[in-house]
Amino acid sequence: MINQLDHIAIAVKNTDEALMFYRDKLGLPVVLSEVMDDSKVRLTHLDLGNLHLQLVEPLTDEHPLQEFLETSGEGLHHLCFYTDDLDETVKEVSQKDLKLRKPEYHSAPLAKQAAFIDPATARGVIWEFTGPKTE
């Protein structure tokens, strides 16, 4: 079901300002930065060696991540696991009473797709699964 940890996501108000810390002070190289039009976020991945640190910046005032930033501030948002077969993984976790936040997948960087597990069914932790897009 789960192959490996894909990324650790950090919610940020401004990616460029956050990069002054993660890239410039910690020395983490930027792998990619991509605006996901369907979800209205900017995702910037930095190399941690065996996984990525993902900076997640909401691009609209109405984005649900804005509420997270207002109540919690910048910081850890979710952990994401990579799977070779997202459909099968979602089916398996659903059989174990874990619910998806939304029934449809969302676009992810590097031509992948992803789905969030509702934290109410996952001990309060936001988990995401990502994998190759299916045809």
Side-chain angles (χ1 to χ4, degrees):
M1 178 167 77
I2 296 170
N3 295 69
Q4 64 188 32
L5 189 60
D6 184 77
H7 65 264
I8 299 168
I10 306 290
V12 300
K13 295 176 183 174
N14 182 297
T15 299
D16 294 325
E17 290 177 10
L19 284 171
M20 287 189 274
F21 174 75
Y22 294 103
R23 179 194 58 211
D24 301 343
K25 291 189 179 189
L26 295 182
L28 300 175
V30 174
V31 175
L32 68 96
S33 188
E34 189 174 344
V35 172
M36 306 308 297
D37 290 328
D38 67 337
S39 53
K40 307 291 189 247
V41 294
R42 178 179 174 189
L43 303 176
T44 301
H45 283 234
L46 297 105
D47 189 6
L48 289 173
N50 58 349
L51 67 123
H52 288 175
L53 182 70
Q54 180 188 73
L55 305 180
V56 185
E57 176 190 357
L59 298 177
T60 64
D61 291 338
E62 303 79 34
H63 194 281
L65 198 53
Q66 293 288 6
E67 182 180 343
F68 176 89
L69 287 166
E70 288 172 20
T71 58
S72 303
E74 294 186 323
L76 181 63
H77 183 258
H78 68 269
L79 299 173
C80 180
F81 290 109
Y82 180 82
T83 177
D84 290 325
D85 188 335
L86 187 58
D87 290 334
E88 185 61 30
T89 298
V90 166
K91 183 178 166 185
E92 286 182 37
V93 299
S94 296
Q95 291 170 347
K96 297 177 181 176
D97 295 325
L98 297 173
K99 309 273 188 258
L100 295 183
R101 271 189 157 173
K102 293 181 181 179
E104 65 279 349
Y105 300 152
H106 58 271
S107 296
L110 302 172
K112 293 188 274 186
Q113 60 188 359
F116 282 108
I117 301 298
D118 184 341
T121 64
R123 302 189 53 84
V125 177
I126 302 173
W127 296 100
E128 182 182 38
F129 293 100
T130 190
K133 284 191 178 177
T134 53
E135 299 301 321

